[in-house]
Amino acid sequence: MVRSVPEPRELLEIAIEVAREAATTAYRMRSQGVSVAATKSTVTDVVTAADQAVERQVHDALRRLRPADAVLGEEYGEAGAGGAVRWIVDPIDGTVNYLYDIPHSAVSLAAEVDGAVVAGVVRNIRTGEEWTATVGGGAWRDGQRLRCSTEPDLGQALVATGFGYDPRRRQHQGRVLAELIPHVRDIRRLGAAALDLCLAAEGRVDAYYEKGLAAWDLAAGGLVATEAGLRVSGLAGAAAGPDLVIAAPPALFAPLHDRLADLDAAGGP
Ligand code: IPD
């Protein structure tokens, strides 16, 4: 039997439709007030009622539009299986920003075909800025094609990063940061990994790295960054993943990578 797998562009159109509706719900729920519904890995790793409601809404929309596809989400894990297409959703990336009403959180939705991300959208819940990408089709924000920074000098680079929720991991990440910061222009900790990757895609930061990202933090933003020309990888040729994600323009990649390798950025708990 011949499998019919949609083109990345068709998957992106579905992702955009679903992510926009999801962001509208998240925005409305934020304006009605937010409370913590549960905690996950640590007491500071919170889940709001909006995280849960938005992910349920995304699941329901995808079940209606693409009933045979699998869905992996931050709050409810994996659902469905078997087909070539899997959707990866972070209902609210930047949950702590969302909780504190800092306007820097996003819905992130990506489509994988046979394990490779081919389409993705990241939408800022408050500002409505929307970044999209398809594999081979470039990265875009609101009709503008994106190109990453061309900064070649690590000493001039503005580098974004983030921290996990586990205190022991944060301690290791803090040590890495303390050793890195004298060698870069400055550091930004903005609080939403998907948005960090999108900002790097348009040169609003020069590069980004973080240990501990989950698939839903990385999927859509990683494609946006790659399609904007960043190299997105782990250490020593490893794929970007939970051990480490480095997203840097080609000229910055080696100096940043080598510093992070020396500092054991992928190590620790
Ligand atoms: C977190 C944010 C944060 C990053 C953490 C992520 P969440 O995702 O992206 O910036 O530093 O590693 O876990 O919990 O807000 O969805």
Side-chain angles (χ1 to χ4, degrees):
M1 198 176 84
V2 180
R3 286 191 321 168
S4 144
V5 176
E7 291 299 315
R9 185 72 231 171
E10 295 169 59
L11 292 169
L12 180 64
E13 275 162 24
I14 293 169
I16 291 172
E17 178 188 334
V18 173
R20 284 184 183 168
E21 287 166 358
T24 300
T25 300
Y27 182 90
R28 180 178 42 76
M29 290 185 80
R30 175 59 252 185
S31 63
Q32 291 164 351
V34 173
S35 60
V36 173
T39 57
K40 295 187 286 187
S41 58
T42 69
V43 288
T44 55
D45 184 5
V46 298
V47 182
T48 69
D51 287 276
Q52 296 172 330
V54 171
E55 187 164 320
R56 255 187 257 113
Q57 178 179 322
V58 169
H59 271 262
D60 291 348
L62 291 172
R63 203 176 305 129
R64 180 169 42 80
L65 295 165
R66 299 273 318 161
D69 297 350
V71 182
L72 172 68
E74 175 167 18
E75 310 307 337
Y76 294 111
E78 189 103 35
V85 179
R86 181 171 80 151
W87 298 86
I88 303 178
V89 56
D90 191 340
I92 299 177
D93 182 41
T95 304
V96 175
N97 284 342
Y98 184 81
L99 184 65
Y100 280 77
D101 206 12
I102 294 169
H104 197 73
S105 61
V107 173
S108 169
L109 182 59
E112 268 183 359
V113 173
D114 294 330
V117 178
V118 300
V121 56
V122 177
R123 187 175 175 93
N124 184 313
I125 290 165
R126 177 71 78 80
T127 67
E129 286 171 297
E130 185 178 87
W131 294 263
T132 60
T134 51
V135 66
W140 301 79
R141 178 170 66 80
D142 306 325
Q144 297 267 45
R145 182 136 194 196
L146 304 180
R147 298 262 174 243
C148 65
S149 159
T150 53
E151 177 58 59
D153 178 2
L154 188 58
Q156 295 292 319
L158 185 61
V159 179
T161 191
F163 308 112
Y165 291 106
D166 172 0
R168 291 177 319 129
R169 172 166 293 172
R170 298 168 76 85
Q171 192 170 40
H172 180 74
Q173 290 172 315
R175 286 195 196 109
V176 171
L177 185 66
E179 294 294 324
L180 179 67
I181 201 167
H183 302 285
V184 297
R185 176 192 293 274
D186 207 345
I187 291 291
R188 291 292 178 270
R189 195 302 191 240
L190 298 166
L195 289 173
D196 289 335
L197 288 157
C198 291
L199 294 191
E202 53 183 302
R204 286 158 80 181
V205 295
D206 293 300
Y208 163 75
Y209 78 93
E210 185 166 345
K211 175 186 168 72
L213 290 196
W216 42 81
D217 298 312
L218 175 63
L223 183 64
V224 171
T226 302
E227 287 292 326
L230 291 125
R231 187 164 161 198
V232 181
S233 161
L235 283 187
D243 283 348
L244 195 64
V245 174
I246 305 170
L252 270 184
F253 188 87
L256 180 58
H257 169 281
D258 294 353
R259 279 272 168 207
L260 292 171
D262 285 351
L263 297 172
D264 191 25

